[in-house]
Amino acid sequence: MRSPPASCSEPRKDPMDIEQVVARAAAASRPFAQTAPRERAAALVAAADALDANAGELIDIAMRETGLGEPRLVGELRRTSNQLRLFAEVIVDGAYLDARIDDADPDYVIGPRPDVRRVLQPVGPVLNFAASNFPFAFSVAGGDSAAALAAGCPVIVKAHSGHPELSARTAGIVAGALAGAGLPDGVFQLISGQAHGVEALRDDRIRAAAFTGSTHIGTMLARIAAERPRPIPFYGELGSVNPVYVTAGAAAREQDLAAGFLGSVTGSAGQLCTKPGFLFVPAGTELDLEAAAAVAEHRLLTPGIGDAFARRRDEVSETDGVTVLSQGTVRVDDAGHANVTPVIARTDLATLLAERDRLLEESFGPLAIVVEYPDAAALPAIHRELFPGNLTSTVHAAAGDDIDALVEALAETSGRVLFGGWPTGVSVTSAMQHGGPFPATTTDATSVGTAAITRFLRGVAYQGAPQELLPPPLRDDNPWGVPQRRSPAGLSQKWGALTGAH
Amino acid sequence: MRSPPASCSEPRKDPMDIEQVVARAAAASRPFAQTAPRERAAALVAAADALDANAGELIDIAMRETGLGEPRLVGELRRTSNQLRLFAEVIVDGAYLDARIDDADPDYVIGPRPDVRRVLQPVGPVLNFAASNFPFAFSVAGGDSAAALAAGCPVIVKAHSGHPELSARTAGIVAGALAGAGLPDGVFQLISGQAHGVEALRDDRIRAAAFTGSTHIGTMLARIAAERPRPIPFYGELGSVNPVYVTAGAAAREQDLAAGFLGSVTGSAGQLCTKPGFLFVPAGTELDLEAAAAVAEHRLLTPGIGDAFARRRDEVSETDGVTVLSQGTVRVDDAGHANVTPVIARTDLATLLAERDRLLEESFGPLAIVVEYPDAAALPAIHRELFPGNLTSTVHAAAGDDIDALVEALAETSGRVLFGGWPTGVSVTSAMQHGGPFPATTTDATSVGTAAITRFLRGVAYQGAPQELLPPPLRDDNPWGVPQRRSPAGLSQKWGALTGAH
């Protein structure tokens, strides 16, 4: 999910004292960490309800500021509010706490064992850098905020400059709902401006940061996080080109393929982190992509994205060995917005390998390249070489195709492997993984789905604690009813029975 | 767990081609990732058995190279081999895989949901920097190696220069046992020399690194890991001073306190990462620590540790306001080894606050400071200010003491909070947490206990996959019998029932 670098010299919309913002978050940290899951869950649901109640106004602002269409934004807001409700369920369930109890055992094989109990606790104030391309789902009230709030961490969101009014309005609604639900003051704050974001990132009281944006900016911020006197984890979602492989057996379904591919490339004008940038088909595959020319013009999110898209169109189309199937258009309107139609190019594997420096770069916007390959057996090695880190990889195969080696290569290099279907439209569920080897993400953590909450938690063990001093998830009476994993008294030697080793 | 910086110009014991070592690890990565848990478990148990079978020889070498006593080394080797067996159990159990299954649901509240299944998979080759102070448990065959091998990641260990012969012999035994159990060639290799370690750390094929040692070297390596073209996680366990607080009620048990404290400070000559460096007692507490003078002389691990210990002794004892209860001795023998007796100092809180720059630094070796405090109510704030990141914090209280605020402060700043008892002697169990806020560790991850395995895994989601192409833990027939978490079809609105919000 990329957008061009925001300028570091962008004007400050309103002066804000970052020191005070961080101080408020730090002051909220302790009381917020002590809230019971049901209190936090109620607050998340209140925020979801408030967003839904203000949907009309929010969507109007979003359409004006982003150029995205109403149906897309209606769906995205619904996803965003239901994401908050899903995290409410996750907290109340309590499995995310990973509560572990080792009872005392004087005869433990590794030496007498004390009573040790471990639970995940919030890390403290979290700084989230919002994205441009999902003004709801990856912005102020998006997945990173939902996960951090669910974990019990105060959140400071650095607004994306692409939708400032929407950011401010969303933050007002969410902060109001959280306060109305009784959460401490300072659990949810908004700042804006790249310089302010960097200032907050350098503040010792910030304990983790999340980011969705370009590889360039993400890498810069990740280094700032790593070079602080007290380094913190930086969860950045950066670049991904999401290759799709079609076997000879599946290539026969050419009409479905063409329609699905074009839909995935052009939806939201291709401004999606999981847009399929490359479609690999057997040499000679007929794929009718003429419908690309009929796709309606779509405004891009920011002028910077428009400039980058025009540059990528020229770079790709001017490469020797590349045929342009749909050359697309870029029209800058009076307001300075870039309005574009899709660019679809075609080449062969030899050209892609020879021109990889030009062709492999992610193109944010409706641009994709069809690549003809001569030999399916070579795909696993080629994939590993060209695509070492992606959010997704996809294979379209027919029943009986031997794709084991290809799937293994895709799983090694991707966060999510799809069998059929298209990578856009990331489902928000407990099993979703939206994060893969660098540069897809700076760590292997996911930023979508309920596993994202773990990023903002750390383990704390309590040794020999009286029951009344244990956190509720670790108590024998388990007042929150969370899953508790109790260890057996010693080694079970289960491996022996299973392996025959003993 | 600190030791002084190893010299970057230390002579290479034997020339080794790091490129080839890493290439072998990378080649082993794929076949190793595909081994079934029971195969890996059998191999870990074989390695444990081989270490035990060679215990006599290994302990002899360890005594000679480290100066540690036989009982301590016998116990440490037993802990190390049983740690391998414990990880064997963890793999066979399969809960560590965190297998999640979301069945397809066309009516899912966030939009039609495909079949998505997520499992944790090995990250690839891991580089472990061994420690000096646990020649078995935190060295070649120690916790980091056990965790990475259990995860299915090939391991390259960078040997600590403090026990080169033991490192080589241990590596030979482990590698032989793993090979004998049928694991692929290259899953376990040893390198030596700081420059070689850095070269391997910079290699793109290394996917994660673990380290136990000084804050100075750990911070340098962490930055190298963060600044690679493809950054990788660096799990460093650095410095910790492990404060212990005694309430007025508990101070009455002075004899037990004195004996326990001295035992924990002087065991293994204080060369433990969890040695209690500070003991806070109510002003005026009588604590008879004269037994310190009777503790037998103990050789330190390396001459560098001896030099650093002598320096710290002088710095602490020459600080105004510090009284030396036991001044200790440092005798350098003909072989250049430093042989020492304990240094115990006493001061008051005002002096500690005023001289924090001199007094707060970790002292590796048998040195600790008793601090008299005037007001228990101030301890939580003082703890947060002085000790923002530690592996452990301990409180000794009497029944009925109000220590809630203190416990909260300890949990916020530590990986493990102890109630009574002493922090040395870390139990290897599923609930152990050996890692805390920086500088205790570079991330919040644990390096002891079975939760340590997660460091070497990453999530991969499979969307719409045919059963036969799914990894075994995600299949409906669950051939490995691992715990699978299946999501409900939609939102359960459980939060509503529990919170009254709906």
Side-chain angles (χ1 to χ4, degrees):
Chain A
M1 190 166 301
R2 295 167 70 125
S3 57
S7 164
C8 287
S9 59
E10 66 188 82
R12 298 185 176 188
K13 294 294 192 308
D14 48 4
M16 56 186 76
D17 185 333
I18 297 303
E19 206 290 318
Q20 285 186 14
V21 169
V22 179
R24 274 194 295 273
S29 188
R30 211 165 304 150
F32 191 30
Q34 291 193 326
T35 53
R38 62 182 63 190
E39 294 174 60
R40 264 177 286 142
L44 291 173
V45 173
D49 292 346
L51 290 171
D52 286 346
N54 291 280
E57 179 198 355
L58 292 171
I59 286 163
D60 282 349
I61 305 173
M63 287 173 66
R64 173 161 42 81
E65 288 194 317
T66 68
L68 295 170
E70 185 167 8
R72 143 76 200 261
L73 289 169
V74 167
E76 186 186 335
L77 180 55
R78 189 183 312 125
R79 164 184 163 166
T80 304
S81 56
N82 277 324
Q83 183 166 256
L84 288 162
R85 296 186 182 99
L86 179 62
F87 275 104
E89 295 206 339
V90 168
I91 341 180
V92 171
D93 172 60
Y96 82 99
L97 293 163
D98 192 23
R100 303 176 179 211
I101 298 180
D102 297 339
D103 294 304
D105 179 4
D107 303 319
Y108 187 53
V109 66
I110 305 181
R113 183 174 86 179
D115 180 299
V116 182
R117 299 165 186 237
R118 180 181 186 270
V119 70
L120 300 184
Q121 300 192 178
V123 294
V126 169
L127 175 64
N128 287 342
F129 290 83
S132 66
N133 63 342
F134 280 88
F136 295 119
F138 282 83
S139 190
V140 175
D144 286 333
S145 292
L149 289 170
C153 299
V155 171
I156 298 170
V157 178
K158 186 265 171 189
H160 195 281
S161 57
H163 47 272
E165 187 184 335
L166 181 66
S167 298
R169 188 71 187 104
T170 305
I173 290 168
V174 171
L178 298 179
L183 293 195
D185 187 47
V187 296
F188 195 75
Q189 299 178 86
L190 186 74
I191 63 174
S192 62
Q194 187 82 355
H196 283 147
V198 168
E199 185 182 343
L201 182 60
R202 291 202 167 111
D203 193 298
D204 185 61
R205 294 163 293 186
I206 295 294
R207 295 304 169 88
F211 168 87
T212 305
S214 73
T215 301
H216 175 73
I217 294 284
T219 301
M220 181 195 80
L221 295 175
R223 292 203 175 173
I224 290 173
E227 288 169 5
R228 292 164 34 127
R230 185 209 303 245
I232 53 171
F234 182 83
Y235 299 103
E237 195 233 283
L238 314 181
S240 188
V241 297
N242 310 297
V244 177
Y245 298 91
V246 179
T247 67
R253 301 193 297 265
E254 51 161 278
Q255 277 194 321
D256 286 352
L257 276 175
F261 175 60
L262 281 183
S264 194
V265 169
T266 65
S268 299
Q271 300 168 113
L272 302 176
C273 42
T274 54
K275 181 204 73 179
F278 295 90
L279 180 73
F280 289 84
V281 298
T285 301
E286 299 288 334
L287 212 55
D288 180 358
L289 296 167
E290 279 183 20
V295 172
E297 193 183 68
H298 196 298
R299 187 182 119 191
L300 295 183
L301 290 160
T302 67
I305 291 175
D307 292 345
F309 179 78
R311 177 179 62 78
R312 285 299 293 148
R313 183 181 68 150
D314 294 348
E315 280 174 359
V316 169
S317 60
E318 289 164 10
T319 301
D320 284 344
V322 170
T323 307
V324 178
L325 301 179
S326 164
Q327 69 178 31
T329 53
V330 179
R331 179 184 64 83
V332 178
D333 62 24
D334 293 344
H337 297 305
N339 299 272
V340 303
T341 58
V343 177
I344 307 290
R346 185 166 183 138
T347 192
D348 56 25
L349 184 58
T351 301
L352 181 64
L353 290 168
E355 300 285 352
R356 64 180 75 180
D357 289 345
R358 281 174 80 96
L359 297 178
L360 284 183
E361 188 188 327
E362 183 180 359
S363 306
F364 204 69
L367 187 160
I369 304 175
V370 179
V371 182
E372 296 190 46
Y373 67 82
D375 175 16
L379 287 181
I382 285 165
H383 172 83
R384 284 193 175 91
E385 187 179 337
L386 296 183
F387 304 110
N390 269 281
L391 290 170
T392 76
S393 295
T394 302
V395 57
H396 285 256
D401 283 346
D402 178 7
I403 56 169
D404 289 29
L406 180 58
V407 170
E408 192 188 344
L410 304 188
E412 245 178 67
T413 54
S414 315
R416 179 166 52 118
V417 182
L418 293 90
F419 300 78
W422 301 93
T424 49
V426 183
S427 192
V428 182
T429 70
S430 77
M432 182 47 65
Q433 173 69 27
H434 190 70
F438 191 88
T441 42
T442 54
T443 74
D444 293 316
T446 182
S447 64
V448 176
T450 61
I453 194 174
T454 308
R455 297 174 299 164
F456 306 119
L457 298 165
R458 68 182 182 89
V460 179
Y462 294 79
Q463 181 170 324
Q467 286 290 316
E468 66 277 14
L469 288 171
L470 283 167
L474 296 180
R475 290 187 199 151
D476 289 339
D477 64 355
N478 195 4
W480 294 350
V482 306
Q484 296 178 329
R485 203 186 319 168
R486 277 195 122 91
S487 297
L491 293 180
S492 68
Q493 306 214 358
K494 205 187 262 182
W495 73 80
L498 283 165
T499 64
H502 270 72
Chain B
M1 194 165 299
R2 299 167 70 130
S3 58
S7 164
C8 287
S9 59
E10 65 188 85
R12 298 184 177 190
K13 293 294 190 307
D14 47 5
M16 56 185 74
D17 186 334
I18 298 302
E19 206 290 318
Q20 285 187 15
V21 170
V22 179
R24 274 195 294 273
S29 188
R30 210 165 305 149
F32 191 30
Q34 291 193 325
T35 52
R38 63 182 63 191
E39 293 174 61
R40 262 178 287 141
L44 291 174
V45 173
D49 292 345
L51 289 171
D52 285 345
N54 290 278
E57 179 198 354
L58 291 171
I59 286 164
D60 282 348
I61 304 173
M63 287 173 66
R64 174 161 39 82
E65 287 194 318
T66 67
L68 295 170
E70 185 167 8
R72 142 76 199 259
L73 289 167
V74 167
E76 185 186 335
L77 180 54
R78 188 184 311 125
R79 163 183 163 165
T80 303
S81 56
N82 276 325
Q83 181 166 258
L84 289 161
R85 296 185 180 99
L86 179 62
F87 274 104
E89 294 207 339
V90 168
I91 344 180
V92 170
D93 171 60
Y96 82 99
L97 293 163
D98 192 21
R100 303 176 179 211
I101 299 180
D102 296 338
D103 293 305
D105 178 5
D107 303 318
Y108 187 53
V109 66
I110 306 182
R113 184 174 84 179
D115 180 299
V116 182
R117 298 164 187 238
R118 179 180 187 270
V119 70
L120 299 183
Q121 300 192 179
V123 294
V126 169
L127 175 63
N128 287 343
F129 290 83
S132 66
N133 62 341
F134 279 88
F136 296 118
F138 283 81
S139 190
V140 174
D144 287 332
S145 292
L149 289 170
C153 298
V155 171
I156 298 171
V157 178
K158 184 266 173 190
H160 195 281
S161 57
H163 46 271
E165 187 184 336
L166 181 66
S167 299
R169 188 68 189 107
T170 306
I173 290 167
V174 171
L178 298 178
L183 293 195
D185 188 45
V187 295
F188 196 77
Q189 299 178 86
L190 186 74
I191 64 174
S192 62
Q194 188 83 354
H196 283 148
V198 169
E199 183 182 345
L201 183 60
R202 290 203 167 110
D203 193 297
D204 185 61
R205 295 164 292 188
I206 295 294
R207 295 305 168 87
F211 169 87
T212 305
S214 72
T215 302
H216 175 76
I217 294 283
T219 301
M220 181 196 81
L221 295 175
R223 292 205 174 172
I224 291 173
E227 288 168 6
R228 293 164 33 127
R230 185 209 302 245
I232 53 171
F234 182 84
Y235 300 102
E237 195 233 286
L238 313 181
S240 189
V241 296
N242 310 296
V244 178
Y245 298 90
V246 179
T247 67
R253 300 193 297 266
E254 54 161 279
Q255 278 194 321
D256 287 352
L257 277 174
F261 174 61
L262 281 182
S264 194
V265 170
T266 64
S268 298
Q271 301 168 110
L272 302 176
C273 42
T274 54
K275 181 205 73 179
F278 295 91
L279 179 73
F280 289 82
V281 297
T285 301
E286 299 288 333
L287 213 56
D288 179 0
L289 295 166
E290 278 182 21
V295 172
E297 193 182 67
H298 196 299
R299 187 181 121 192
L300 295 183
L301 290 159
T302 67
I305 290 175
D307 293 344
F309 179 77
R311 177 180 61 77
R312 287 297 294 147
R313 182 181 68 149
D314 294 347
E315 280 174 0
V316 170
S317 60
E318 290 164 9
T319 301
D320 285 344
V322 170
T323 307
V324 179
L325 302 180
S326 164
Q327 68 179 30
T329 53
V330 179
R331 179 183 64 83
V332 179
D333 63 22
D334 293 345
H337 297 306
N339 300 271
V340 303
T341 57
V343 177
I344 308 291
R346 183 165 183 142
T347 191
D348 56 24
L349 185 58
T351 302
L352 181 64
L353 290 167
E355 300 286 350
R356 64 180 73 180
D357 290 346
R358 282 173 81 94
L359 297 179
L360 284 182
E361 187 188 327
E362 183 180 358
S363 305
F364 203 69
L367 187 158
I369 304 176
V370 178
V371 183
E372 295 190 46
Y373 66 83
D375 175 15
L379 289 179
I382 286 166
H383 173 81
R384 284 192 175 92
E385 186 180 336
L386 296 182
F387 305 109
N390 269 281
L391 291 170
T392 75
S393 295
T394 301
V395 56
H396 285 255
D401 284 346
D402 179 7
I403 55 169
D404 289 31
L406 180 59
V407 170
E408 193 190 342
L410 305 187
E412 245 178 68
T413 54
S414 316
R416 178 166 52 116
V417 182
L418 292 90
F419 299 78
W422 301 94
T424 48
V426 183
S427 193
V428 182
T429 70
S430 78
M432 182 46 65
Q433 173 69 27
H434 190 70
F438 190 89
T441 42
T442 56
T443 74
D444 293 315
T446 182
S447 64
V448 175
T450 61
I453 192 174
T454 309
R455 297 174 298 165
F456 306 118
L457 298 165
R458 69 180 182 89
V460 179
Y462 294 79
Q463 181 170 324
Q467 286 290 317
E468 66 276 15
L469 289 171
L470 282 167
L474 296 180
R475 289 186 199 151
D476 289 339
D477 65 355
N478 194 4
W480 294 350
V482 306
Q484 295 178 330
R485 204 186 317 169
R486 278 195 123 91
S487 297
L491 293 181
S492 67
Q493 305 214 357
K494 205 186 266 183
W495 72 80
L498 283 165
T499 63
H502 271 69

